[in-house]
Amino acid sequence: MKAVILAGGLGTRLSEETSVRPKPMVEIGGKPILWHIMKTYSAHGIDDFIICCGYKGYIIKEYFANYFLHMSDVTFDMRFNQMNVHRGNAEPWRITLVDTGDNTMTGGRLKRVADHVDNETFCFTYGDGVSNVNITELIKFHKEQKTLGTLTAVQPAGRFGAISLGQDQTKINSFREKQDGDGAWINGGYFILEPEVINLIADDSTVWEQQPLEKLAEMDQLSAHRHHGFWQPMDTLRDKNYLEDLWKNNKAPWKVW
């Protein structure tokens, strides 16, 4: 099975990092978050990736073009223009990098890589968040549901401290620094899709989270797999620092490899 990963957005809310590189190349523990996402899939036996590039996509291409060199111990003999590799750490990955346009919407990016999907069931996710979702169980669940699409539903924790305040109340009598969230389930990505869903995408302007998903739901062809474990997007510098701290302290729940 192949995994399609969206990696073309601007990442404007993380401008401290994304002014010089695309958001999926922002590093956690010295490796791009895109690498972490791919390692999660690889841990479940999925090693064939289609990366939808856009903003500064050439940086992603250059990273993988030089991946083996970056991961190896080498000696350069400048006199004879030779390179000797002493130890190499390569992943068993096959990676197709597709320029899907700088301004293309999420649905349009998926439509642009339709030829690479090969008319088979495939995984689809965003290139800016990590999770310990069990991909193997997700695929099994999707097959059991017999729908065209399955998304991973998550309950994100609240970002801000919560206070209890009545309509005319001026004194706070309850405060929680770490809110548990409102209990609502949201789209956490990590989709399993049948190739027919691409037919629901009109063009580059189609937002995947709008018309296509809404149509699948209307058709009773969209299933939700509840994920109760770790899930964290990297939308802001605060998110990035949080993930970095988890990795640095060997407490990264998404490290399943």
Side-chain angles (χ1 to χ4, degrees), residues 67-86:
Y67 186 82
F68 185 75
L69 182 62
H70 291 162
M71 301 297 288
S72 305
D73 294 336
V74 298
T75 295
F76 293 101
D77 193 326
M78 308 304 285
R79 297 168 299 173
F80 302 105
N81 193 28
Q82 293 179 344
M83 180 183 74
N84 296 316
V85 179
H86 304 294

Side-chain angles (χ1 to χ4, degrees), residues 32-60:
I33 194 168
L34 177 61
W35 177 89
H36 291 264
I37 296 167
M38 294 169 71
K39 287 286 284 187
T40 300
Y41 277 104
S42 190
H44 292 275
I46 297 175
D47 297 311
D48 198 341
F49 299 97
I50 302 166
I51 312 297
C52 302
C53 301
Y55 171 71
K56 294 186 182 293
Y58 65 90
I59 294 178
I60 302 176

Side-chain angles (χ1 to χ4, degrees), residues 17-256:
E17 293 274 357
T18 56
S19 61
V20 294
R21 53 186 161 183
K23 191 177 180 183
M25 295 304 291
V26 174
E27 294 182 352
I28 302 296
K31 297 286 195 305
I33 194 168
L34 177 61
W35 177 89
H36 291 264
I37 296 167
M38 294 169 71
K39 287 286 284 187
T40 300
Y41 277 104
S42 190
H44 292 275
I46 297 175
D47 297 311
D48 198 341
F49 299 97
I50 302 166
I51 312 297
C52 302
C53 301
Y55 171 71
K56 294 186 182 293
Y58 65 90
I59 294 178
I60 302 176
K61 293 178 181 178
E62 289 173 357
Y63 175 78
F64 287 111
N66 297 307
Y67 186 82
F68 185 75
L69 182 62
H70 291 162
M71 301 297 288
S72 305
D73 294 336
V74 298
T75 295
F76 293 101
D77 193 326
M78 308 304 285
R79 297 168 299 173
F80 302 105
N81 193 28
Q82 293 179 344
M83 180 183 74
N84 296 316
V85 179
H86 304 294
R87 180 179 61 85
N89 294 298
E91 307 290 347
W93 295 343
R94 182 177 186 268
I95 307 168
T96 302
L97 298 155
V98 183
D99 182 2
T100 55
D102 283 358
N103 302 308
T104 308
M105 297 292 102
T106 48
R109 293 190 190 281
L110 176 55
K111 190 175 185 69
R112 285 209 187 190
V113 301
D115 291 343
H116 298 282
V117 172
D118 294 335
N119 204 35
E120 298 175 351
T121 306
F122 64 98
C123 301
F124 180 49
T125 197
Y126 307 104
D128 61 355
V130 286
S131 174
N132 61 354
V133 59
N134 189 318
I135 305 295
T136 302
E137 288 185 3
L138 178 61
I139 294 171
K140 180 175 181 290
F141 175 84
H142 172 75
K143 291 178 178 178
E144 292 171 347
Q145 296 301 303
K146 301 185 186 304
T147 53
L148 293 178
T150 296
L151 63 75
T152 298
V154 298
Q155 291 177 300
R159 286 175 176 263
F160 308 104
I163 62 175
S164 175
L165 202 62
Q167 183 175 358
D168 299 318
Q169 188 177 343
T170 58
K171 296 288 182 66
I172 297 172
N173 52 30
S174 175
F175 180 85
R176 281 188 300 162
E177 174 59 24
K178 293 185 178 179
Q179 187 181 358
D180 294 330
D182 59 8
W185 291 91
I186 69 166
N187 166 27
Y190 291 93
F191 299 90
I192 307 296
L193 303 173
E194 298 301 322
E196 295 91 328
V197 303
I198 298 177
N199 297 329
L200 301 176
I201 302 171
D203 50 35
D204 283 358
S205 66
T206 302
V207 178
W208 168 250
E209 298 78 11
Q210 295 178 3
Q211 300 97 318
L213 285 187
E214 290 169 2
K215 184 63 176 178
L216 283 174
E218 290 173 8
M219 296 165 57
D220 200 26
Q221 287 294 318
L222 184 61
S223 302
H225 182 264
R226 290 178 174 85
H227 174 60
H228 297 277
F230 181 83
W231 177 86
Q232 178 64 50
M234 187 184 65
D235 292 329
T236 65
L237 187 59
R238 178 188 179 186
D239 295 335
K240 192 263 187 189
N241 291 336
Y242 171 62
L243 293 173
E244 186 70 47
D245 286 342
L246 288 175
W247 184 267
K248 182 174 62 178
N249 293 301
N250 296 316
K251 295 180 179 179
W254 70 89
K255 189 179 184 299
V256 295

